[in-house]
């Protein structure tokens, strides 16, 4: 008998991968799904810590600083590069500056407007004199360039 379709298995696997908490319970390392705790958004530096409280036999989240009433409570998903954030949680951190925030698959690109409604690429490793690809370099186009990285 089929327990689940491949699509259902993929969905369940991603739910567990993106929402589980690694815990030490009664001396054993394990993972747990913790409803509502998995809804906290990521922020660095961390503002909270979580653990399994042996005395109370429950999952606890403790703030590391004062958080005013009405303010969002964040969790830290750890120091990760953006490809790990994207793979595990479905987002990237803009300007990830963590020590290990470098991703070998990231390539900085500068995009610009060509003056005719088109987009062109700028960059040192692109062909064309001066690192300009798309149209002949001109001051107006360079002045309109937008940097994305």
């Amino acid at each position: 008998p089929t327990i689940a379709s491949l699509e259902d298995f993929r969905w369940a696997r991603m739910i567990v991968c993106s929402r589980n908490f690694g815990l030490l319970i009664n001396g054993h390392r394990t993972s747990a799904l913790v409803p509502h705790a998995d809804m906290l958004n990521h922020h660095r530096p961390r503002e909270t810590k979580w653990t399994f409280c042996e005395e109370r036999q429950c999952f606890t989240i403790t703030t590391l600083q004062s958080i005013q009433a009405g303010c969002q409570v964040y969790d830290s998903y750890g120091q990760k590069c953006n490809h790990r954030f994207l793979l595990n949680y479905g987002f990237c951190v803009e300007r990830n500056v963590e020590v290990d925030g470098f991703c070998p698959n990231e390539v900085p690109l500068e995009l610009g407007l060509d003056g005719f409604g088109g987009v062109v690429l700028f960059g040192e490793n692109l062909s064309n004199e001066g690192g300009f690809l798309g149209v002949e370099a001109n001051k107006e186009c360079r002045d309109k360039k937008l940097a994305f990285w």
Side-chain angles (χ1 to χ4, degrees), residues 103-124:
C103 176
N105 299 323
E106 292 176 354
V107 178
L109 292 178
E110 291 185 48
L111 303 178
L113 304 175
D114 68 4
F116 305 100
V119 177
V120 294
L121 294 173
F122 298 83
E124 293 177 17

Side-chain angles (χ1 to χ4, degrees), residues 112-120 122 132 134-136 138 140-141 144:
L113 304 175
D114 68 4
F116 305 100
V119 177
V120 294
F122 298 83
F132 183 83
V135 298
E136 183 179 326
N138 62 49
E140 179 186 2
C141 188
K144 292 180 182 180

Side-chain angles (χ1 to χ4, degrees), residues 4 13 31 33 51 55 59 69 73 84 94 106 112 138:
R13 176 74 176 132
S31 295
L33 293 178
T51 189
E55 181 183 321
F59 180 89
V73 177
R84 199 38 78 192
E94 186 174 351
E106 292 176 354
N138 62 49

Side-chain angles (χ1 to χ4, degrees), residues 42 44 76-81 84-85 96 98-101:
H42 169 72
R44 297 269 310 149
S76 171
Y77 297 3
Q79 295 179 344
K80 294 177 176 57
C81 59
R84 199 38 78 192
F85 279 127
N96 189 347
E98 294 293 345
V99 172
D100 60 352

Side-chain angles (χ1 to χ4, degrees), residues 41-48 50 74-79:
N41 287 321
H42 169 72
H43 178 73
R44 297 269 310 149
R46 73 186 216 168
E47 299 177 346
T48 59
W50 43 264
Y74 291 96
D75 182 28
S76 171
Y77 297 3
Q79 295 179 344

Side-chain angles (χ1 to χ4, degrees):
T2 301
I3 295 172
S5 69
L6 181 57
E7 184 176 326
D8 289 341
F9 172 78
R10 286 179 183 154
W11 174 85
R13 176 74 176 132
M14 290 315 300
I15 290 294
V16 171
C17 287
S18 65
R19 291 172 173 79
N20 78 76
F21 290 83
L23 300 172
L24 186 63
I25 301 176
N26 300 323
H28 299 284
R29 292 207 176 279
T30 188
S31 295
L33 293 178
V34 184
H36 301 288
D38 65 353
M39 296 177 71
L40 296 178
N41 287 321
H42 169 72
H43 178 73
R44 297 269 310 149
R46 73 186 216 168
E47 299 177 346
T48 59
K49 67 176 184 174
W50 43 264
T51 189
F52 184 82
C53 177
E54 297 284 347
E55 181 183 321
R56 297 168 77 186
Q57 289 291 294
C58 67
F59 180 89
T60 62
I61 298 177
T62 307
T63 62
L64 300 174
Q65 61 198 33
S66 240
I67 300 175
Q68 292 187 0
C71 291
Q72 184 172 177
V73 177
Y74 291 96
D75 182 28
S76 171
Y77 297 3
Q79 295 179 344
K80 294 177 176 57
C81 59
N82 276 336
H83 70 271
R84 199 38 78 192
F85 279 127
L86 185 60
L87 179 65
N88 291 353
Y89 307 109
F91 70 89
C92 289
V93 175
E94 186 174 351
R95 299 198 187 269
N96 189 347
V97 294
E98 294 293 345
V99 172
D100 60 352
F102 172 75
C103 176
N105 299 323
E106 292 176 354
V107 178
L109 292 178
E110 291 185 48
L111 303 178
L113 304 175
D114 68 4
F116 305 100
V119 177
V120 294
L121 294 173
F122 298 83
E124 293 177 17
N125 296 326
L126 299 174
S127 62
N128 255 0
E129 188 176 322
F132 183 83
L133 184 67
V135 298
E136 183 179 326
N138 62 49
K139 184 180 179 339
E140 179 186 2
C141 188
R142 278 193 303 266
D143 289 345
K144 292 180 182 180
K145 76 178 178 178
L146 307 171
F148 293 91
W149 55 85

